[in-house]
Each structure stands twice: as C-alpha cells, then as structure tokens.
C-alpha cells in the first residue's frame, strides 16, 4: 500500500478541491464559525452500497464531504453544505445520502449523482436529532432519533401524523425520546416532509440507532439513560450526620426516615459540614439504598425502571422489547450480522459513591474512577451482559502505574462488526485508538486488555469517532474529531497508511483546546477518566455527584451574596456566609455550554478563587476565564492525572471552553414570540405582574421591560433586609451583557449553603422526573407516589426538585405582605412562570439553524417558511456573544445553477448577493431558480457572523 493515493512523507495529507494532494479544500464559499456547539459525532462516516465512495459528515464545516474509493486509495471528489453540526450520515442508495444535522433539527437528503453534490430536500424533525438508519419493508423507512420536543413536532403541517403534537413537557408519564419514521419513497409535500409516524419511547433523549440485517427490527438507545440513582433533598434526612452504623431514625415532615446523611460530619480540620442532600440507588430488589446500605424507600415516591435500549418492530412501528441496566450513558449500537447479538458502547457512572481528593480523611474517593468504559452485549433472549473494557486498571493505585494508559480505551463511540461476525471494532474517542476484539471474547468476557491491546489500532489526529469497514480492500476508515480528519487503516498490518485533513473553518481557540475535554491519555494517569466522563460533549450527564473533598479547606468567596443578612448561623456548616465548605454534598453536573459572561463557576461559585488567583472584580461581570482556569486542580484531585497539568494547556483549554455556545431554545416559537401563558410568566418574572412592593399599587413596566429601579413586584428598590426581589432581581436577564438568568452573583435562598445564582437557558433539558417526598423547604401537597420515571435528578443544585412548579412552591416564594411578595395568585401564576422558563431567552434566537428546501413541487408549502427566515434575518437581536448590530441570523441560500454550486447571502436591502462576484438578485429571482428541476434551493439561518465572512 506504499503508493496509496494522498499519502505523504508523514503518513498524512489534506483533501483538495480537485481531489489531488494539494492544500485543504474549502469547496464553495462556506461558513465562518465564531464559536462551537460541540455536538458529538454519532455515525459520521458511511460507504456507498457499492463500496466506491465514502461519505463523511464534517461537523466543523457543516458539510457532507465525498471521497472516491479505489484500490489505489481514497481521494476527495466533492462537498456540499448541509445543516449545522451534521453528526450522522447514511447512504440509502449509491446516489442518495441522508445527513442528520443536530443543531438545525433537520435531515439533508443529498443527491450525489450530479457533478457537484447538492441537497435535494430538507426534512424537519424534532430537537437535537442524532442518528439515522434505514429499515422496514424494502429498507425504505428512515428512522431518526430525536428529543421529545422541538418546534417541528407541533407544526400544523404534521398535525395528523401519529405521535405528533404538544410534547407535554410538564406532564408525568410522557416519554422524552422520539424516533421519527419517514417513508423515503413518499416524503410528502409539507414544508418539512411528512413523517409516517413519531414513535415515543419511555426514556430520555435517544442517541444511537441500529437495524438488523433483515431490516425488521430497529434498536434505539437512550443517551443519558441513568443508573437508577436519585437525589433526596437536604430537608428529607434527620439532622446531623450518620456514622458507619447508620445512627437513629426520625420523622421528618411526617415521613419516617432511617437517619442522617452519611458522614463524616466535618472536614479534616474539624470544621462542621453543611446539611446536604443524599444520593440513593436502587438495588436488585427495587429498594432505595444509600452508601451505607440503609433502606430509604419510605422517603421516595417513584421508581426508575432504567429502560435503556428499545427494540422497535420496523413494520408495526411499535416497541416490542426493552433492555434495562445496559449502562449509564449509551453512545452507540451495532448488530452482529451472524448471531444477532447487539453491542452497546457505553460508560457506567459511579455517582452513587462519593468524594474527590486523596480520600485520606474519609477513606474513600472517586479520583480517577468516575465512569467505566464498557461494551454491553444484548441477546434476543433478553440477556444483558456488561463488559468492562479496562479490567486491567487497579483504581486503588493513585496515580496509576506507568504503562496503564497503553492498554486503556476511553469514551467508546461508534462500533463496527465484520461481516462474518467474528471481529468488533470500537472507536475510543478519548484514546486516539480503535479497540479490536474477537466478538466471542467480548460475549464471554474472556479478553485481557493487557494482551488484547496489542491488536488496538493507533489513529493520528485524535478523537476517533466514526468507523466504516471496507472488507473488500482490507481497510478501516476512521474519522477524527480533534483535527477533523479521516484516517485510513490497513487491517492486515494494523497500521495507519493515510490521514486526510478535512476543511475546518473553526477559530484556532476551538481547534487547539478541544482535545483537553476528552483526551484521557493527556488528562489522567489511567487513560480512562477525562472531563468528558461527566461533561458529555461539553454538556451534562443528567446525574448528581457528591464531589466534596473532606481533605480540603473552605474557599472564601469575594462575590456579592444577596440576602446574606438572612442566612442562618450554621450556613455552610461553619456559619460563614462567604466561607464555602469543601464538603458540598451532591450537585448535578452543569453544562459547559454558554460559560462565557457567567463569572464564578460551580453551583456555589467556588472556582472564583484557586490556583490562578482570586477574582478581583467587585461587581458583574466577573472573570469567567479565571474561574475556568481554576479548575486546573481537578485534573489531579478528580480525574487522577498525577503530575501537575500544564498551565499553558489550561489556558488553551479555557479559551476553548468559553467558545462553546448554548444551542437555540427548541421550545420558544421560531419567530421568537411568546404565547399568552409564557408572556404572563415573563411579566411576573420581571416584576410586572402584581402589586408594586413599594407603592402598594399595580406594578407598571415600560416597554415590556423590567420595572424602573424602585418599582415593581418584589421590587429591586426594596432593600435586601426586607427580602424584596422579583425573579429578575436575582436571575438577571440582560442579553446585551450576556446575562441569561445570572450575572454571577450568589444568594441565600433558605438552603443550607450559599449558592451562585444559576443561568436558566437550558431548563427544558431537565424535564423527566415527577414526584418528590414531603420536606421542610417546600409547601406540602402533591407528594404521593408517582410511579415509574425516566430521570432521578431534576432541578435545583442537587437535582432533588422534580419540576419547576415545585421549585416555585418553595417556602421562600410563598405569598405574603398582602400580595406584595410571592405568588399571590397561586398555581396559575407559578405555571405561567414555569412555561416562560422553559422558553427562556438565550444567546441565539430560536431561528438559528433552521432550514428549508424550495423545490419545483412545494413552493406553496415552503414559501411562508422562506418568508419567516427572511423576516428573522432582518430582525435586530441583542446578544453579547454576537456583538452590536446583530440580527437573529445570517440567511444563506445554496443551489446548483447549470451544474455549478452557488451560494447567496441575504443583504440588508432584501436582495441576495451571490458568491460569484455578480450583482445581487431579488428574492423572487432567486426563488425562480428552483422552478428548474435539479436547482433546488436550500435556505439556512446561520448564527449571526457565520455567513458573511466568505461571501
């Protein structure tokens, strides 16, 4: 293979416009990202059925890249822009390829038979689509995994589709995982295509799909499926802390509970710890137990069935089998084509255990052992057999001995199985390797990582995420995320024989820092743990962890603390309102998306001080960069690196982290409007609904904004001592400063600890737990059994609050002072605020990412959507990350004219400027191009600033 095309002296090369061995290709004028959404690859590479072409979903470039495969090698042959963050690709035929666009909530149907590949149709689906497979009769049904939300699922154009409609985000018992099913031979004439059905599963958001060779069964895996753990509030257990024998029981809020939270009661220096929540886990008998083994079932009101993988009949479109206890986070699936076994790449979190740090004082720590990388084998008989990929690690040795990393695999993503069913390949995203195993050894758990690792395949570029097996030529094609590359592996020698670099227009701060989130070979000593063990693709794992450190000392926060005068004498355990005790108790994992402008980090803002210093700002905005850099200590105390992490690398990592953006809100209307209920909730949130706390008269807010200083319900003008605040008084909403629920300050709100006021942009993504036992922090009522749930963690810092409405029922929000404080109108007012919070403002408008394709046959259906995209692209939008003068999006239209790809950018005067140097054309002239077959026009609302630098 020495003459393989596109190889170079260092075994690497770049793909070029002409398919030769020149520089990095740009194709037609593309996108110019200024930040990243950091969507994770799901199935980013696929071969054509005839094996002559390779299709790569290029996340960074928002494109489908096409390569020609020959015996001599692989060469670039074309590209087309699709939607934002394409994460999966599947070839339906040799000439038709489908791409899943996670941020655009769309599918691009790409015609690859023309001289330049182009999008012939765009299908609109639910929020955050992840994967796609073809199955059913004739293999013509497309199955797409999405979250159970998004503007399209309630669009009137699909009102008659089974399963479509209101996602019922505040209703218990409703599944939060959707699989959209399209008939590829009959996509309909509606604006975004007409699905055959939407299948809802009783799980959280799904990720991976797989289909049996006969196409009769489709498997769907729940991404953050959980591990039957939950949190109970600090107000549920008995006071104090329990010793190893459990201590005495007591009655709290009318419920008999077995005792206090597990100790120790102090840190190593004898400073009293604050009251904290507890994490419980269901045992094999369905009993809720804590880390001491005590039965807490009397203090719980729901069960967690842990339904992880669903088998769907591809003809009836009904679930037929459910597999439980597969893993906590499920990344990908593959079916053995011979024996039918289903392999699931996953990690199993250990959040039922406690503490970071050396574990000296409490004799326990999670350091270096956060989540185990696994392949779980599912068989038709219902058997579920987890296989730990890193059995060789001795987690008691901290740091791990030299050489441990060589045998480890971290963050297993896509799986491929040989056609004879004998060999399994798994892309280890955090290891720069592809694991190779005999399937028999996986199924009977007979492999030894120390010896089996000799067969692992090293991959340059970093972050292997996608696999395509070319058995005819004895190759494995591997996509690499850290450099946006494509590696070609010769399976006979086990060596990489070529590496192609794809187009990546991302800024250097993104490309340089990405690896530090995932790369376990750089950030841990055992090669398994990384920041991404919990922060999955820079987001949450939907779990809570007790990562207090009994061997550490308190942190003093200089940040202003609202309502500090009302704090009790035992606040934070030691009684110091600004002294943050190291034994903080369970806290839910927070997203890394949208950190910029939000100052202190962690639920308590305790990274305001640390290795790189203390924030010197005396008022907002606080120093988010410093706060993130102060996480450097976690590489040793939690991830288990051993030697000190490089300060230079920490700066690079921090620059990357602050460039990760929150995706658009999928609940808010695409025109950025609020319905009547949401608008009423916003009015109350700002302090504009109710009695003015200063005058006693109805509150008045000019221009729909917050009340003037000194006026309004819970008015800002009331002193802290009188507890007079609107929601806005703490949860600051100021888009021009980048404040979406917080300006970085802290508060005391009746909790046992001082907490940073959290941002509110992603509350819609925490829905799925309903039911909470009685406790002393909330008004009593609605505390009965609620049955099976999908999540064990909900809202608030510890995840113990099931719904936003219950959070708003906290005693601190009770109505008082003749209606001047609290929810004077009761639940209707709370429910309105809840609906507004689910549709809360964000850095980007809801229209960002949205697409539509104009064809010869759909102008009537698509025309109003194009009008909407144009209108939103012309509407001013305030957001700190976008800078002054931004509109809601940059609207770009792409088409083929006489076989040549062309792009048009909407101008302020309403015309569209082409990328070929010609004069701008009118909207009607552009639309008229689509009246010619083969000249379909795809409109995309790019984030502001992404579309204008290349045209």
């Amino acid at each position: 293979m020495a003459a393989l095309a596109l190889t170079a002296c260092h075994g690497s090369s770049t793909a070029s416009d002409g398919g030769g061995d020149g520089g990095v290709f740009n194709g037609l004028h593309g996108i110019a990202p200024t930040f990243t959404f950091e969507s994770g690859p799901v199935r980013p590479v696929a071969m054509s059925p005839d094996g002559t072409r390779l299709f790569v979903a290029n996340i960074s470039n928002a494109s489908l890249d096409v390569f020609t495969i020959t015996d001599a090698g692989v060469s670039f042959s074309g590209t087309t822009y699709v939607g934002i963050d394409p994460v999966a690709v599947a070839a339906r035929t040799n000439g038709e390829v489908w791409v899943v666009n996670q941020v655009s909530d769309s599918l691009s149907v790409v015609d690859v038979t023309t001289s330049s590949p182009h999008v012939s149709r765009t299908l609109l689906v639910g929020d955050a689509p992840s994967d796609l497979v073809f199955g059913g009769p004739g293999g013509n049904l497309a199955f797409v995994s999405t979250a159970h939300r998004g503007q399209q699922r309630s669009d009137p154009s699909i009102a008659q589709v089974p399963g479509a409609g209101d996602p019922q985000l505040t209703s218990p018992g409703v599944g939060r995982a959707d699989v959209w099913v399209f008939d590829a031979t009959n996509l309909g004439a509606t604006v975004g295509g007409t699905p055959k059905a939407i299948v809802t599963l009783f799980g959280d958001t799904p990720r991976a799909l797989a289909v049996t060779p006969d196409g009769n069964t489709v498997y769907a895996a729940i991404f953050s499926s959980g591990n039957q753990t939950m949190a109970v509030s600090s107000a549920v257990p008995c006071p104090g802390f329990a010793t190893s024998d459990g201590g005495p029981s007591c009655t709290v809020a009318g419920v008999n509970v077995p005792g206090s939270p597990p100790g120790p009661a102090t840190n190593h220096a004898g400073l009293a710890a604050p009251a904290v929540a507890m994490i419980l886990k269901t045992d094999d008998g369905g009993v809720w137990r804590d880390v001491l083994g005590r039965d807490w079932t009397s203090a719980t009101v729901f069960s967690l069935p842990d339904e992880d993988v669903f088998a769907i009949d591809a003809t009836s479109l009904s679930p037929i089998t459910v597999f439980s206890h597969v893993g906590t986070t499920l990344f990908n699936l593959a079916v053995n084509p011979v024996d039918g076994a289903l392999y699931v790449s996953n990690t199993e979190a250990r959040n039922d255990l406690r503490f970071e740090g050396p574990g000296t004082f409490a004799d326990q720590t999670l350091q270096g052992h956060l989540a185990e990388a696994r392949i779980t084998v599912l068989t038709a008989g219902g058997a579920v057999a987890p296989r730990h990929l890193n059995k060789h690690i001795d987690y008691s040795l901290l740091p791990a001995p030299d050489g441990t990393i060589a045998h480890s695999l971290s963050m297993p993503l896509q799986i491929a199985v040989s056609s004879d069913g004998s060999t399994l390949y798994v892309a280890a995203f955090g290891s720069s390797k592809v694991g190779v195993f005999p399937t028999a050894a996986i199924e009977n758990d007979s492999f030894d990582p120390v010896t089996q690792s000799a067969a692992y395949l090293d991959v340059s570029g970093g972050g292997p995420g996608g696999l395509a097996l070319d058995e005819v030529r004895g190759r494995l094609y591997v996509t690499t995320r850290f450099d946006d590359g494509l590696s070609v592996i010769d399976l006979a020698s086990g060596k990489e024989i070529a590496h192609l670099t794809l187009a990546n227009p991302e800024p250097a701060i993104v490309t340089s820092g990405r690896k530090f989130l995932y790369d376990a070979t750089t950030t841990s000593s055992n090669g398994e743990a990384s920041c991404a063990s919990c922060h999955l693709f820079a987001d949450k794992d939907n779990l809570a962890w007790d990562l207090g450190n009994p061997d550490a000392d308190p942190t003093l926060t200089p940040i202003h603390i609202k309502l500090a005068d009302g704090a009790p004498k035992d606040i934070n355990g030691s009684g110091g309102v600004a002294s943050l005790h190291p034994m903080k108790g369970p806290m839910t994992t927070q997203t890394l998306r949208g950190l910029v402008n939000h100052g202190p980090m962690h639920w308590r803002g305790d990274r305001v001080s640390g290795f790189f210093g203390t924030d010197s700002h005396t008022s907002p905005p606080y120093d988010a960069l410093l706060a993130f850099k102060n996480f450097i200590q976690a590489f040793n105390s939690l991830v288990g690196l051993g030697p000190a992490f490089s300060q230079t690398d920490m700066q690079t990592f921090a620059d990357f982290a602050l460039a990760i953006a929150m995706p658009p809100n999928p609940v808010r209307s695409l025109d950025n409007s609020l319905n009547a209920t949401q608008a009423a909730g916003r009015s109350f949130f700002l302090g504009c609904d109710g009695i003015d706390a200063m005058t006693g008269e109805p509150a008045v807010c000019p221009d729909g904004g917050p009340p003037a200083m000194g006026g309004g319900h819970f008015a800002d003008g009331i002193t802290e001592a009188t507890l007079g605040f609107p929601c806005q008084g703490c949860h600051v909403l100021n888009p021009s400063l980048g404040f979406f629920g917080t300006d970085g300050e802290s508060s005391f709100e009746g909790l046992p600890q001082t907490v940073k006021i959290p941002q509110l942009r992603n509350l819609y993504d925490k829905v799925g737990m309903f039911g909470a036992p009685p406790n002393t922090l909330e008004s009593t009522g609605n505390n009965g059994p609620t049955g099976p749930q999908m999540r064990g963690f909900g809202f608030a810092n510890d995840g113990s609050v099931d719904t936003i409405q219950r959070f708003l029922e906290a005693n601190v929000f009770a109505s008082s002072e003749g209606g001047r404080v609290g929810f004077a109108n009761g639940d209707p007012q709370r429910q309105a605020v809840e609906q507004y919070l689910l549709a809360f403002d964000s850095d980007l408008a809801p229209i960002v990412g949205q697409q539509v394709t104009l064809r010869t046959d759909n102008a009537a259906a698509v025309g109003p959507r194009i009008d909407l995209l144009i209108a939103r692209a012309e509407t001013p939008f305030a957001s700190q990350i976008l800078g002054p003068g931004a509109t809601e999006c940059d609207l770009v239209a792409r088409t083929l004219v006489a076989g040549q790809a062309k792009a048009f950018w909407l101008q302020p005067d309403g015309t569209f400027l082409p990328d070929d140097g010609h004069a701008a054309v009118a909207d009607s002239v552009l639309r008229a191009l689509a009246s010619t077959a083969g000249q379909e026009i795809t409109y995309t609302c790019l984030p502001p600033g992404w579309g204008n630098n290349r045209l």
Side-chain angles (χ1 to χ4, degrees), residues 132-181:
L132 162 74
V133 295
F134 293 101
N140 288 318
L141 294 184
F143 295 78
V144 186
S145 58
T146 81
H148 183 80
R149 58 177 182 258
Q151 294 91 346
Q152 185 62 17
R153 92 174 319 282
S154 55
D155 191 90
S157 67
I158 62 169
Q160 303 306 312
V161 172
D166 182 359
Q168 300 175 285
L169 294 178
T170 59
S171 299
V174 177
R176 303 296 163 193
D178 283 349
V179 176
W180 291 51
V181 185

Side-chain angles (χ1 to χ4, degrees), residues 799-879:
S800 65
V801 180
D802 59 332
T803 65
I804 297 174
Q805 179 173 341
R806 193 182 302 276
F807 176 82
L808 299 176
E809 291 171 353
N811 296 333
V812 295
F813 303 133
S815 180
S816 61
E817 302 297 324
R820 298 189 186 197
V821 176
F823 292 92
N825 294 334
D827 283 349
Q829 224 164 24
R830 292 187 182 93
Q831 290 160 1
V833 173
E834 179 179 46
Q835 290 301 312
Y836 170 57
L837 292 176
L838 292 172
F840 200 70
D841 303 73
S842 194
D843 305 89
L844 300 171
I847 202 68
V848 167
Q850 293 296 309
Q851 300 186 284
V852 73
T853 297
L854 178 63
R855 299 161 47 88
T856 59
D857 59 353
N858 68 352
V862 167
R865 180 59 61 94
I866 298 174
D867 295 341
L868 174 66
L869 298 181
I870 292 173
R872 304 324 301 170
E874 295 175 338
T875 301
F877 186 75
S879 173

Side-chain angles (χ1 to χ4, degrees), residues 609-689:
S609 296
F611 180 87
F612 286 95
T614 299
D615 196 333
S616 60
H617 292 74
T618 57
S619 62
Y622 296 102
D623 192 339
L625 180 63
L626 173 68
F628 191 89
K629 288 168 61 178
N630 278 336
F631 277 100
I632 191 170
Q633 67 190 59
F635 284 109
N636 289 313
S637 64
L638 183 58
V639 183
L641 175 59
F645 190 68
S646 162
Q647 295 182 43
T648 300
D649 288 346
M650 193 66 208
Q651 178 70 53
T652 303
F653 185 23
D655 290 339
F656 160 71
L658 297 189
I660 305 171
M662 197 80 73
N665 188 300
V667 176
R668 196 153 173 154
S669 295
L670 291 178
D671 64 2
N672 205 23
S673 66
L674 299 173
N675 63 32
T677 302
Q678 294 165 346
R682 184 178 190 272
S683 181
F684 183 93
F685 181 93
L686 295 176
C688 304
D689 176 19

Side-chain angles (χ1 to χ4, degrees), residues 917-935:
H918 287 84
V921 301
D923 172 29
S924 59
V925 173
L926 176 61
R927 295 195 202 197
L929 293 176
S931 62
T932 300
Q935 293 188 172

Side-chain angles (χ1 to χ4, degrees), residues 1 56 102 154 233 474 564 761 889:
M1 302 296 291
V56 176
Q102 189 156 90
S154 55
S233 164
R761 289 164 292 178
C889 70

